[in-house]
Amino acid sequence: MPYWGVSIEEVGNVVGVVLTLMVFSYLIGRNPAYRLALHLFLGASTGFFFGVVCWEILILRLGVPLFVGRRYLSLVPLVLGLLLLVKAFPRAAHLGNVPVGLLAGAGAAVSLAGALLGTLVPLVDATARAAAPSSWAAEPLGWVDGLLAVAGAACTLVAFRHIGRRGPDGRAGCTWPGRALGKVGRWFLVVAFGAMFGGAVSTALTFLMGRVDYIAGFVRGLF
Amino acid sequence: MRDLDSGGRPEQAPAPSEGGGEADDATFSDGEPVPVDQDTAESAALELGAYLAAEAFAAGTLEMPRVPEPGGSGAPPLLEGAGVAIDGTWEGSPLGEGGERLPGSVASPTDADVLAERIRRLERFVATPRPLRIAAGGSRETGRSLLLERRVVAVVLLAVVVLVSVPSLGLDWLAPAVSLPNGYPAGPAMMHDTLRAVGAGDRALLAFEYGPAQADEMALVAGPVIRQLASQGAEVSVASTRPDGLVAARDVLHDAASEGAMPLAEAERIAEDGAYRPGDATGVARLLELGEKPDAIVVIASGFGPLRRWIEQARAIGAPIPVVAATSAAIESVAAAYSSRDSGSLAGYVSGVSGAAYYERIVDGTSDGPAARRLSVLAAGNIAIVLLLVAGAAADLLSRTRAKLSKGR
């Protein structure tokens, strides 16, 4: 809806461009404009999250069933939520352990089943299959892929082995095969982290392109 | 118990050690990451050790000081290992066997004491900010050179992106000629095949696990996926475990509507009916319980955590729902692991601008979509980064050589 001939979208665009330039001003060092933009972003995000959680959870998922639908079972999460709040008061903080325990227990149970069925078993299975020569024919140089997968997984696991036997000189350490495999595993880790860093750089460049496009579009719109 | 009796108020962390004044100022005024000096590292390690020791004590795996025998020396027994960290925490307020107070003796803590101590340690460890200080050998020069490096890198990247991405300047000839190679990588091809099976009336659940801050990249990746599902007449619904996930969903759906992939009213309805449940894995499990079982799940995620949670929970519910992913380039290597032919956790993925460009070509049959148009800029930026890395390495080598030569003299 336009106010004084200016639509809310146009105001939003101007504010967006100004805030983007304020963030870019970090290039000349930390300055009040950058800090203001940062605080505005954090404040707006927190306020928005608070509003969404209040509406979606406290009102729609708790208040409406309890006070409109008369579903008194909703009192249970309400009480548990209030118990969580008393964590702020040291003398009664122990009462908050009940909901904390429930949250931790339920979260761990849900995560554990998923981690086993969705990550651990399929990835171990995939690594084991990669070692089988029958799977190498599926694609060209499949044996290289398979050997890299198996060697990478094994050596990386060895790299995290921190148990050693104490030698006659009193120093604890791994045997030489363990040390050698661990070093190879660390190189696998370095390559994996390098690949992830490359991806992160690509993502950052995409963000930069997006912001430049946004400002360029705004400037083009002025003329 | 000093803190417990005073209401369990956490102790203030020790102030930064001597010499921290000027160094702190330098650190915070410049805002530069600087090497942590040994004192800070040690105090953080001690703090962590104290917390772990309290945890170990609470779990019963650490021996606490015992009440000394009446007539004994009264000195608490020495602790070893992690116990050193909490030595002195449990000050004496003890009673002897006959209920008499024993001077210098140590109390046997109750469960409540243990719990309070545990909370106090955790609060202190988590809440106390650890100021970083410049290392003993460091100086303001380090901060200045880092700032200079940051400015050089930023100016070069900004110049490249501006020059290449603003055709109105007439300088787009600077962009390297980038086009997609023929053929398709396995990830986008698998994803397209999987989603092609989601026909009219089938339900596709789109999990939007990113916020407006990541929209510049993720909207490019999500766009062609939504266009494909809309063109096949699939019934699309959206969900998120992030408070701002549905805002991102609304934007992408509006973009799809403005491109004619679906009516605007339909996009509005899908966004309005979007579901939000907080709680990481629990939230994902709750979202999967809503409504009827989807025929496909599309995870549109900028981070590894949400992608993993959706893959895991889709497996955990036991129904064979195909999961595909549209991700940020930053987590491409992770998505690739889940998408390997033998694991079968992901039935295809696209990631980053290049993945989106491939998918545009498969879905729209064009090599001039929004993602493809950015490939040139991405390539120019990557070339600039490589040149900066080479220049930085050369400068470093030069300065080391010069330092060695001057030492030799």
Side-chain angles (χ1 to χ4, degrees), chain A residues 198-223:
Chain A
V201 168
S202 179
T203 294
L205 264 177
T206 312
F207 290 163
L208 184 61
M209 282 187 274
R211 290 301 86 198
V212 168
D213 256 9
Y214 180 69
I215 295 173
F218 176 78
V219 172
R220 273 197 297 265
L222 290 178
F223 305 105

Side-chain angles (χ1 to χ4, degrees), chain A residues 56, chain B residues 238-241 246 270-277 287 290:
Chain A
E56 293 277 345
Chain B
V238 297
S240 182
T241 59
L246 296 181
I270 294 170
E272 281 295 319
D273 294 346
Y276 158 67
R277 296 285 182 277
L287 286 169
L290 292 175

Side-chain angles (χ1 to χ4, degrees), chain A residues 42-112:
Chain A
L42 288 175
S45 301
T46 309
F48 177 77
F49 288 1
F50 181 75
V52 170
V53 170
C54 271
W55 176 251
E56 293 277 345
I57 306 297
L58 294 182
I59 294 176
L60 291 186
R61 311 263 312 144
L62 183 67
V64 171
L66 184 61
F67 299 113
V68 179
R70 305 282 176 195
R71 285 160 56 187
Y72 295 109
L73 205 61
S74 298
L75 280 170
V76 176
L78 177 63
V79 171
L80 288 173
L82 291 175
L83 283 177
L84 205 54
L85 285 180
V86 302
K87 277 291 219 185
F89 306 100
R91 287 186 186 282
H94 62 280
L95 293 173
N97 290 345
V98 177
V100 169
L102 189 69
L103 283 174
V110 170
S111 301
L112 192 64

Side-chain angles (χ1 to χ4, degrees), chain A residues 26-28 30 48 57 61 90 97 110-111 114-115 118-119 122 126 135 139 196 199 201 203 205-206 209 211 213, chain B residues 7 31 115 150-151 154 216-217 247 277-278 281 286 312-313 315 328-330 333 338 341 343 345 353 374 377 385:
Chain A
Y26 185 60
L27 286 177
I28 55 172
R30 282 176 79 94
F48 177 77
I57 306 297
R61 311 263 312 144
N97 290 345
V110 170
S111 301
T119 295
S135 70
E139 53 191 61
M196 292 175 83
V201 168
T203 294
L205 264 177
T206 312
M209 282 187 274
R211 290 301 86 198
D213 256 9
Chain B
L115 183 64
R150 190 175 64 198
R151 283 176 188 165
D216 280 333
E217 181 185 30
V247 178
R277 296 285 182 277
R286 298 296 307 276
E312 290 178 348
Q313 293 308 313
R315 277 283 181 117
S328 153
S333 51
Y338 277 100
R341 64 177 186 273
S343 81
S345 298
V353 174
R374 292 204 174 172
V377 191
I385 287 171

